Every structure is written in structure tokens, then in C-alpha cells.
Amino acid sequence: MKILNAKLEWAKPIPRRRREDIRYIVMHHTESSPAATPQEIHAWHVKRGWAGCGYHYLVYNDGTVYAARPGLWVPACVQGFNRQSLCVAAVGRFNDRPPSELHLRTLAQLVARLQQEYPQAELVRHRDLNPTMCPGNAFPWRAFLEEVRRYEAYRGRAR
């Protein structure tokens, strides 16, 4: 999997943290059009008063992955848990319809890679930490977890 750099310009400085501070890998959906560009998502977040895109990774339904915010930069995506979170967002809305098979596979592959990099981090949904429906009612959480486990086993890290 190739991860592209979104090359975003930040509106203000972003606090940094240590690798050990990361306790959660948090799944989101952007609640946007599946065609929203990293720059559009970044602009929406700047309008909210944030430094820019609140997520670390943006994953698209065609398998494209962008690194938006560096991993050791504190995100703006999980109120009360930002300092401890690494945020992955599936671009689109999944309230009525689930992500495509390719979208889900790409998300699982990225998360399995992040779990290797941050073995102390627990994989959770945004809704597990905040009162929200994110990553959407139609996001197939159990199937997603199974797919992540398949990638972990393939990489030699079965749980």
C-alpha cells in the first residue's frame, strides 16, 4: 500500500506528543462526499477553527490513502481523547450504505500497519469514545475487525 502525502499548509502550530502517548487508533468517516479532496477536508476543518485536517489518514474508496497530519501531531478528531488518538478516516458517509470491499480492505491494511507501529494502541470507533454515530451506522465493524485480523496474521501478528 502506498501512502501519499496530502501536502497541507497548517493554519497554526499543532502540539506534538510522544509515540507512547498514543493509546487509540480511532476509525472515522468524514461525513462528506466520497470525492472530497484532502484539501477540501482541510479547508472545512480550518473553517471550524482547527489548524487544518483533524485526521492523520484519509482513505478513499478507490484504495488511495493520504497522510494528512503527521502521526506525532495531536489530532482534532476525538474530543477529550485527541492527545491519545491516531485518527483514520474513511472518506464518505456510511450511515445508510457500507464502504466498498476495496475501501474496507484498504482501511484494514492501513490499520494493521498502524497496529504494528503502535502495538500499545487499541482499535476503536469514534462512537466508542464520544457520543456520535461515527463511522456510520452502516460501517461493518465486525467484518472490518476480521479483515484487520487477516492482515495482522499475514504480517505475523495474529491476536
Side-chain angles (χ1 to χ4, degrees):
M1 168 183 45
K2 184 176 181 180
I3 300 175
L4 305 172
N5 185 336
K7 299 180 183 175
L8 304 173
E9 292 188 28
W10 303 94
K12 53 188 168 187
I14 299 172
R16 306 305 200 270
R17 63 193 170 174
R18 296 171 303 141
R19 177 181 268 335
E20 304 81 45
D21 294 336
I22 298 170
R23 293 183 31 223
Y24 303 105
I25 297 170
V26 185
M27 280 303 309
H28 295 267
H29 66 160
T30 57
E31 190 64 44
S32 68
S33 158
T37 67
Q39 292 73 23
E40 289 171 324
I41 294 166
H42 183 71
W44 298 332
H45 289 183
V46 168
K47 284 181 184 173
R48 293 185 80 165
W50 302 346
C53 183
Y55 310 114
H56 293 98
Y57 296 93
L58 298 169
V59 180
Y60 287 80
N61 61 8
D62 67 355
T64 301
V65 179
Y66 282 97
R69 187 178 285 230
L72 294 180
W73 290 17
V74 175
C77 59
V78 190
Q79 188 174 9
F81 296 91
N82 282 321
R83 184 162 287 284
Q84 300 91 7
S85 297
L86 189 71
C87 297
V88 175
V91 179
R93 45 178 80 79
F94 304 106
N95 293 320
D96 301 318
R97 192 169 341 140
S100 70
E101 194 174 309
L102 175 59
H103 206 169
L104 209 59
R105 271 198 325 266
T106 305
L107 286 162
Q109 186 177 8
L110 174 62
V111 166
R113 179 187 283 189
L114 292 172
Q115 286 183 320
Q116 260 197 329
E117 198 173 331
Y118 303 94
Q120 77 281 10
E122 178 186 357
L123 176 59
V124 297
R125 299 168 292 187
H126 184 190
R127 72 169 52 159
D128 296 326
L129 300 174
N130 290 149
T132 177
M133 295 313 296
C134 185
N137 289 331
F139 190 91
W141 185 245
R142 289 177 207 257
F144 173 69
L145 291 176
E146 286 302 315
E147 192 71 17
V148 170
R149 285 186 191 105
R150 274 194 279 284
Y151 280 106
E152 286 176 336
Y154 177 75
R155 289 175 171 268
R157 183 185 167 219
R159 282 190 173 179

